[in-house]
Amino acid sequence: MECYQFTDNQFITSDVDTATLRCIPFDQLETVASENGWPSTMITEVLNAKNDAYVERYRDHMLFSLTIKNHTQLEKNEELVFIKHAQSALLFYDETLRTPQDYIEIINYVYSQIGDVDDANLLIPYALTRYDLLTDRTFLRDLENTILELELSLTREPKNPEESILSLRKTLSIYKHHYMSLIDLFEDITDDYRELLTLEAARDYQRILNKLNRLYKYTTMLGEYVSQINDRYRAQIDLNLNKTMKTFTILSAVFLPLTLIVGWYGMNFQGMPELESKYGYLYVIILSISILIGSLLYIRHRGFWD
């Protein structure tokens, strides 16, 4: 467990007695709770809060649940649980992904940009989310370029566009759900807990909420873009199949009369003059070639062979 206190608009390392913020790894939760006499319900609250982003108000504290994304490895997203008491706060984290000093540096960096901070602990969820969103627009723009390249590659018949389309849809679905959860979280803060916020803090939370709404709309637009590409790819597959069926239909139409001739003269009935004629073989050849050329000219004239 690492302890910090807020001094001169930043968090600095401190001892347990003067600490206003304590950072505790999830795997040390039960040990720390036992040492401090925390109720078992608090352990349950923290562990259950890891599943999604939300805020909940209890009798003597507020609980926030956040997710910090990893753009390159989505399976390594960081789950954070933050509990704010009247004069102190607890930040629970996964120590396998990041150290508490990393989070403190992020918080101090954001606080240095917004100026004087009245309630440092209450703005920690804002600071972590604001820093997390710094690269989101760039990431989504790169994703849009990837989608555009995929659309252009459809004309070159990519080897496996379905795999790329499914991967993009999965990624966008994850981000869409992430933004939607954060929007719900910050709407609850700005609507239900406005009396706890200073005027400037309320403005900060409203600004981050507006940005989340824009990112959500951008992600939704990209999802629709991918769906259009998927529909275009399916249409292209159907078109190629129709062309193949058209080719087989033309071949069947051309060779069907020839098949009739073969069957007709293969019956070997007595009294068929062509079988005994000196020029019967030549006659059948000329007839077959004439039917073949005539069929092709007719198909081309009617525009069936384009």
Side-chain angles (χ1 to χ4, degrees):
M1 180 175 66
E2 300 291 337
C3 300
Y4 302 90
Q5 65 176 348
F6 190 71
T7 304
D8 296 331
N9 216 51
Q10 64 178 342
F11 282 101
I12 60 174
T13 305
S14 71
D15 54 33
V16 176
D17 295 332
T18 60
T20 57
L21 174 64
R22 301 177 186 181
C23 298
I24 305 170
F26 284 116
D27 57 5
Q28 296 181 16
L29 173 59
E30 294 186 4
T31 302
V32 175
S34 177
E35 293 175 352
N36 290 270
W38 296 343
S40 59
T41 54
M42 184 175 177
I43 299 176
T44 304
E45 289 174 8
V46 172
L47 295 179
N48 291 340
K50 293 173 59 178
N51 298 327
D52 205 353
Y54 72 95
V55 58
E56 189 70 40
R57 187 175 182 179
Y58 297 91
R59 182 175 57 85
D60 59 346
H61 66 275
M62 292 179 62
L63 184 146
F64 301 82
S65 177
L66 295 172
T67 300
I68 306 298
K69 297 184 305 307
N70 186 318
H71 292 315
T72 57
Q73 294 177 293
L74 295 178
E75 66 277 5
K76 291 187 177 181
N77 288 345
E78 303 167 41
E79 303 293 338
L80 300 175
V81 177
F82 177 72
I83 293 179
K84 182 190 180 303
H85 294 277
Q87 301 298 328
S88 63
L90 304 171
L91 179 63
F92 299 93
Y93 67 98
D94 186 347
E95 62 181 347
T96 64
L97 299 176
R98 197 174 294 195
T99 66
Q101 187 59 36
D102 293 333
Y103 295 115
I104 295 301
E105 290 178 358
I106 290 173
I107 295 169
N108 288 339
Y109 170 76
V110 174
Y111 285 178
S112 68
Q113 292 188 326
I114 63 178
D116 294 333
V117 177
D118 296 328
D119 191 339
N121 287 336
L122 188 57
L123 283 178
I124 286 178
Y126 163 80
L128 293 172
T129 304
R130 172 174 167 171
Y131 187 86
D132 182 45
L133 298 180
L134 288 178
T135 58
D136 279 44
R137 184 166 292 277
T138 301
F139 173 78
L140 293 177
R141 190 180 300 114
D142 292 340
L143 208 59
E144 183 177 11
N145 292 333
T146 301
I147 298 172
L148 179 60
E149 288 295 328
L150 178 62
E151 183 180 23
L152 294 175
S153 69
L154 291 180
T155 58
R156 301 190 294 268
E157 297 183 359
K159 294 182 180 180
N160 192 5
E162 289 185 345
E163 183 176 347
S164 299
I165 290 173
L166 289 176
S167 177
L168 288 168
R169 294 180 71 171
K170 179 181 178 181
T171 300
L172 290 169
S173 176
I174 291 173
Y175 275 80
K176 184 177 180 179
H177 174 75
H178 175 72
Y179 294 138
M180 184 169 56
S181 299
L182 288 178
I183 288 172
D184 290 339
L185 167 65
F186 287 104
E187 280 184 345
D188 289 341
I189 294 175
T190 55
D191 294 341
D192 300 338
Y193 307 117
R194 182 174 290 273
E195 73 278 4
L196 301 177
L197 304 176
T198 64
L199 180 60
E200 191 59 36
R203 290 175 179 173
D204 289 334
Y205 274 109
Q206 187 60 50
R207 279 193 289 267
I208 204 72
L209 178 59
N210 293 339
K211 184 172 184 179
L212 284 167
N213 278 308
R214 290 193 296 271
L215 290 172
Y216 177 79
K217 291 178 181 179
Y218 191 11
T219 306
T220 302
M221 183 270 290
L222 292 179
E224 294 173 352
Y225 190 7
V226 173
S227 296
Q228 292 174 3
I229 292 177
N230 185 55
D231 293 340
R232 177 180 173 182
Y233 172 64
R234 297 297 177 186
Q236 184 173 332
I237 292 178
D238 293 340
L239 180 60
N240 292 337
L241 180 61
N242 290 338
K243 289 181 179 179
T244 302
M245 295 303 298
K246 181 179 179 180
T247 301
F248 280 117
T249 302
I250 291 174
L251 292 176
S252 298
V254 168
F255 287 98
L256 187 60
L258 302 181
T259 304
L260 176 62
I261 293 175
V262 171
W264 188 276
Y265 288 102
M267 291 185 291
N268 294 323
F269 288 124
Q270 295 293 329
M272 296 181 68
E274 292 86 351
L275 297 179
E276 299 176 358
S277 171
K278 178 180 179 181
Y279 303 103
Y281 180 64
L282 180 61
Y283 165 74
V284 172
I285 291 177
I286 294 174
L287 177 63
S288 299
I289 293 176
S290 300
I291 292 175
L292 179 62
I293 295 175
S295 299
L296 293 175
L297 290 176
Y298 176 79
I299 291 172
R300 188 174 184 85
H301 174 71
R302 292 298 301 269
F304 298 146
W305 190 6
D306 294 329

